[in-house]
Structure formats: structure tokens, C-alpha cells
Amino acid sequence: MPTTWRPVALGALAVGIALGGLLVPRSEPLRPDCPPAPLSEDVTTDWLSRAGGALAVPVPPKRLERQQAPPCVPPPGEQEEINGGCWSEMRMKPPCGQFYEHAGKCYVPVRETPRPPTSVQP
């Protein structure tokens, strides 16, 4: 069966319209009726996947989500309690990059250890 030009032309026209809608620059936001909501103080971020690049990220004023709470591991574990959370000092000097800075030193938060199961499996 020979191919006619009409189905090919209609297909090309449909693809062109679809791509044209994606490639046209927009002068206004997609949803101007929804202004961005301000972030509150209790918003937590995933600190394990935080991108680096900042010169100085101060230690937050309170413990991060899923961060080990005191009591921290004493030496030789070398964890320190800072602002209600356990932190390990890095062996580098500021700028700390993707790590946190406190009192001229670089720190990384200690992830909390999961509690062992207390119930018996059936």
C-alpha cells in the first residue's frame, strides 16, 4: 500500500505544534495565581543530600530531623553536643563546603541510630 503525503504531513504538523508549545519562551510564570509560600522555621531539609557550594553554612540553632540526640558518643568517638544535636568534627578547616561550620571548625551531623525492635515477630 503506497504511503500518501496527507498522513505524514498531519503527523509532522502535530509534532511541530506540540514541540512549538514547549519551546516558546513564556513571559509570565506558569501559575501566577499561586505565590510561593514562605518557609517556616519548622521546615526540615534532607541534610544528607544537600548540595555543596556555600562558603559557610552555620550549624542550625536546633537539632536536625533524624540527627542523633544527646547523649553523644564520648571519646574516642569524638562527637560533640551542639545546639541539642550530636556532631562530628571534620579534619578540615573552613571554608567547609557542603559541611557545617561552628566556632571556626567544620562539622557533620551524626545520623540517629535506629532503635532495635522490641516486639516479637509472630
Side-chain angles (χ1 to χ4, degrees), residues 63-86:
R63 184 171 65 98
L64 299 170
E65 184 180 356
R66 296 187 311 237
Q67 183 181 7
Q68 181 67 40
C72 302
V73 175
E78 299 184 21
Q79 294 179 5
E80 293 182 40
E81 178 186 346
I82 302 173
N83 297 339
C86 295

Side-chain angles (χ1 to χ4, degrees), residues 56-118:
V57 179
V59 169
K62 59 183 180 179
R63 184 171 65 98
L64 299 170
E65 184 180 356
R66 296 187 311 237
Q67 183 181 7
Q68 181 67 40
C72 302
V73 175
E78 299 184 21
Q79 294 179 5
E80 293 182 40
E81 178 186 346
I82 302 173
N83 297 339
C86 295
W87 298 83
S88 287
E89 183 180 342
M90 303 298 294
R91 298 190 190 278
M92 61 188 295
K93 296 182 187 235
C96 300
Q98 65 181 353
F99 303 112
Y100 291 91
E101 183 179 343
H102 178 75
K105 298 177 184 176
C106 298
Y107 290 90
V108 63
V110 177
R111 187 177 187 125
E112 68 184 352
T113 54
R115 294 183 179 185
T118 56

Side-chain angles (χ1 to χ4, degrees), residues 15-79:
V15 169
I17 291 172
L19 287 177
L22 293 175
L23 300 177
V24 173
R26 299 183 190 276
S27 60
E28 60 185 52
L30 292 177
R31 296 185 61 187
D33 57 327
C34 296
L39 294 176
S40 64
E41 289 185 28
D42 60 346
V43 172
T44 57
T45 59
D46 187 1
W47 50 272
L48 293 176
S49 63
R50 186 167 50 90
L55 293 178
V57 179
V59 169
K62 59 183 180 179
R63 184 171 65 98
L64 299 170
E65 184 180 356
R66 296 187 311 237
Q67 183 181 7
Q68 181 67 40
C72 302
V73 175
E78 299 184 21
Q79 294 179 5

